[in-house]
């Protein structure tokens, strides 16, 4: 029986961390984009489809009678494909039965890996700007985030500050390379510095590597796990969403040592238990694709990056270098914009009909920079060109001077 509308809401407080957190910026900006019929260069998803053979494999898998709960750690086809992919691209030998956990997206994988090692009160070092689930996930587990900030425009690792963030209570470091939103690809020297801290403090590393195949200009992704001493300490996270243009599928995969895998699997068991089996079998076909697929995939994205990068520069944006990921960070001050990044994103959505993401959404500590804006280039080239035309008209009409 339905309750009368006037029934009072319970007075007891709900979870304070969630009550105190807003909805993540990505759907907020996507909703604003549809409301204003704007071209959406905000939320990072391609406007083109994934590989037909991967989609066919998932569709066929729906019809062959394996539609009940798959194995907890993932279907054997996908675990074997994750292991083979690790060996082919990085020379990492992986036992598919004891060192892989398939999850419902990298988002779940991040929480599962944190849960595998973090006890209440443990500190987790994170590198800012950061993906916006990191800090709430650490806090929900009772962990304490220790935030180290990279400085634009080069986003170099501030080594002394990073070293100072480690204490006897540090349990793990969680970081992202290739990096959203900066487009940074961590260098071997930076990774060696992190590896040394991880070893000296006897901690774990959670490596968010969802953009592993999205690197440009000869930059190559290096998993921290491949550095000396790191094999047993790292949990390496990949995502089919990013590697195969299938962001809605939410299939992620964790590779980690057999000593860590049981806890990651138990965290997954308590979060979602399993991930849709047909999608897993499609992703297994994707990970087995030949090297040409991965090379052409990166080259096609690089062409899109080049188009948007050159176009935004021509319009007068301050464009920061993007070495990997789906994203370009721009400084909007050279356009004459005096307001903040959120006001800029609202203005271009409502007036120019182009949507972007304010970079301050990627900061959890106080006083984030407020004049950087992120544009996604994983879109058809005609769409990128039209977005540039719209921005050009808006700038010509002095739209950017109004901020
Ligand atoms: N980490 C980073 C850095 C991301 O940009 C994303 C974006 N989706 C994720 C994790 C989550 O990936 P998934 O969609 O597979 O959950
Ligand atoms: N990772 C994507 C981005 O940074 C969005 C993911 C999401 O919408 N939760 O744009």
């Amino acid at each position: 029986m339905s309750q009368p509308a006037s029934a009072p809401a319970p007075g007891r407080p709900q979870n304070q961390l969630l009550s105190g957190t807003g909805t993540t910026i990505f759907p907020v900006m996507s909703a604003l984009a549809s409301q204003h019929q704007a071209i959406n260069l905000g939320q990072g998803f391609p406007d083109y489809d994934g590989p037909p053979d991967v989609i066919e494999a998932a569709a066929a898998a729906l019809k062959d009678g394996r539609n009940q709960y798959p194995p907890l750690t993932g279907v054997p086809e996908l675990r074997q494909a994750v292991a083979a992919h690790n060996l082919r691209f990085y020379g990492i030998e992986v036992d598919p039965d004891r060192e892989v956990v398939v999850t419902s997206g990298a988002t779940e994988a991040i929480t599962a890996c944190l849960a595998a090692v973090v006890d209440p009160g443990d500190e987790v070092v994170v590198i800012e700007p950061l993906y916006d689930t990191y800090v709430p996930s650490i806090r929900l587990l009772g962990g304490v985030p220790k935030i180290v900030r990279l400085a634009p425009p080069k986003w170099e690792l501030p080594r002394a500050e990073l070293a100072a963030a480690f204490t006897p209570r540090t349990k793990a470091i969680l970081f992202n390379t290739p990096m959203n939103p900066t487009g940074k690809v961590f260098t071997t020297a930076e990774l060696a510095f992190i590896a040394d801290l991880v070893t000296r403090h006897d901690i774990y590393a959670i490596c968010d590597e969802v953009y592993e195949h999205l690197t440009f200009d000869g930059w190559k992704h290096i998993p921290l796990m491949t550095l000396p001493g790191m094999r047993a300490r790292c949990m390496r996270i990949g995502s089919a969403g990013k590697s195969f243009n299938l962001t809605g599928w939410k299939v992620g995969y964790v590779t980690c040592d057999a000593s860590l895998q049981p806890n990651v699997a138990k965290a997954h068991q308590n979060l979602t238990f399993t991930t849709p089996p047909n999608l897993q079998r499609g992703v297994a076909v994707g990970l087995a694709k030949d090297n040409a697929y991965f090379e052409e995939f990166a080259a096609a994205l690089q062409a899109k990056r080049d188009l948007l990068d050159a176009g935004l520069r021509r319009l007068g944006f301050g464009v920061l270098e993007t070495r990997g990921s789906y994203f370009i960070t721009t400084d909007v001050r050279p356009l004459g914009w005096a307001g903040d990044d959120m006001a800029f994103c609202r203005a271009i959505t409502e007036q120019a009909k182009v949507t972007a993401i304010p970079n301050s959404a990627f900061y959890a500590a106080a006083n984030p920079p407020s004049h950087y804006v992120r544009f996604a280039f994983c879109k058809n080239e005609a769409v990128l060109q039209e977005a540039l035309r719209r921005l050009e008209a808006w700038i010509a009409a002095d739209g950017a001077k109004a901020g």
Side-chain angles (χ1 to χ4, degrees):
M1 215 171 68
S2 67
Q3 296 294 315
S6 57
R12 303 275 298 175
Q14 300 176 25
N15 177 273
Q16 292 181 30
L17 195 121
L18 295 176
S19 298
T21 313
T23 301
T24 171
I25 190 76
F26 308 111
V28 169
M29 294 313 291
S30 286
L32 202 65
S34 9
Q35 187 190 333
H36 293 278
Q37 280 127 41
I39 293 177
N40 190 355
L41 305 188
Q43 192 174 25
F45 60 88
D47 65 356
Y48 37 88
D49 214 351
D53 53 347
V54 174
I55 293 171
E56 277 305 320
L62 277 176
K63 296 190 177 159
D64 72 0
R66 282 168 58 188
N67 286 311
Q68 310 311 324
Y69 297 124
L72 167 64
T73 56
V75 300
E77 293 95 325
L78 181 51
R79 281 185 281 112
Q80 279 152 17
V82 169
H85 171 271
N86 271 295
L87 187 61
R88 170 161 55 130
F89 285 96
Y90 311 114
I92 306 172
E93 283 186 33
V94 175
D95 178 342
D97 296 327
R98 297 171 63 237
E99 298 189 311
V100 176
V101 180
V102 175
T103 57
S104 295
T107 307
E108 189 208 338
I110 292 162
T111 300
C113 292
L114 285 165
V117 295
V118 172
D119 277 319
D122 285 349
E123 293 175 357
V124 180
V125 175
V126 288
I127 296 178
E128 195 181 59
L130 38 70
Y131 190 54
D132 70 348
T133 67
Y134 291 2
V135 165
S137 300
I138 293 166
R139 291 208 171 111
L140 281 169
L141 292 165
V144 180
K146 298 281 285 195
I147 300 173
V148 177
R149 187 172 288 184
L150 306 183
K154 294 205 173 300
W155 311 111
E156 282 159 349
L157 200 63
R159 296 183 183 202
E161 265 174 66
L162 183 67
F166 285 74
T167 76
R169 289 183 301 283
T170 306
K171 182 62 76 67
I173 179 170
L174 161 59
F175 74 106
N176 172 222
T177 182
M179 189 179 183
N180 175 9
T182 63
K184 174 185 172 71
V185 177
F186 279 64
T187 63
T188 310
E190 288 175 323
L191 293 169
F193 188 81
I194 294 174
D196 180 55
L197 288 169
V198 167
T199 307
R200 276 198 287 123
H201 292 272
D202 189 20
I203 63 155
Y204 300 98
I206 300 162
C207 306
D208 178 350
E209 302 181 5
V210 298
Y211 299 104
E212 60 188 321
H213 289 296
L214 288 64
T215 60
F216 316 123
D217 308 323
W219 281 90
K220 285 272 169 275
H221 168 60
I222 303 162
L224 182 68
M225 188 180 257
T226 59
L227 273 71
M230 289 298 102
R231 178 64 175 81
R233 294 184 183 275
C234 291
M235 288 162 269
R236 186 177 109 67
I237 298 170
S239 166
K242 310 296 153 108
S243 294
F244 306 107
N245 305 325
L246 295 164
T247 61
W249 280 24
K250 300 296 284 186
V251 178
Y253 22 91
V254 179
T255 302
C256 60
D257 189 68
S259 59
L260 279 164
Q261 189 262 15
N263 262 16
V264 176
K266 280 180 264 178
H268 170 61
Q269 141 194 320
N270 289 308
L271 288 164
T272 56
F273 182 47
T274 57
T275 297
N278 66 311
L279 299 180
Q280 293 194 50
R281 289 166 65 194
V283 174
V285 169
L287 285 174
K289 283 170 101 49
D290 60 13
N291 290 358
Y293 164 80
F294 293 96
E295 282 157 22
E296 284 158 22
F297 173 73
L301 258 177
Q302 179 171 325
K304 295 174 192 299
R305 192 260 342 236
D306 290 347
L307 194 166
L308 192 64
D309 182 295
L312 292 170
R313 265 177 220 281
R314 188 171 52 76
L315 299 186
F317 284 82
V319 176
L320 278 60
E321 186 188 354
T322 288
R323 296 172 174 172
S325 83
Y326 281 153
F327 310 110
I328 291 179
T329 291
T330 60
D331 183 346
V332 295
R333 288 171 303 183
L335 298 172
W337 185 261
D340 70 16
D341 54 351
M342 186 61 206
F344 184 89
C345 290
R346 274 191 184 282
I348 59 170
T349 303
E350 291 167 7
Q351 298 160 23
K353 311 285 182 207
V354 176
T355 296
I357 299 284
N359 273 42
S360 53
F362 298 93
Y363 288 80
N367 302 320
S370 63
H371 47 269
Y372 291 100
V373 164
R374 189 196 82 173
F375 290 89
F377 50 79
C378 45
K379 308 288 166 179
N380 278 290
E381 297 182 8
V383 171
L384 295 174
Q385 269 152 351
E386 175 58 18
L388 288 166
R389 269 194 293 276
R390 292 182 185 190
L391 288 169
E392 184 167 18
W394 179 73
I395 291 166
D398 281 345
K401 300 269 160 51

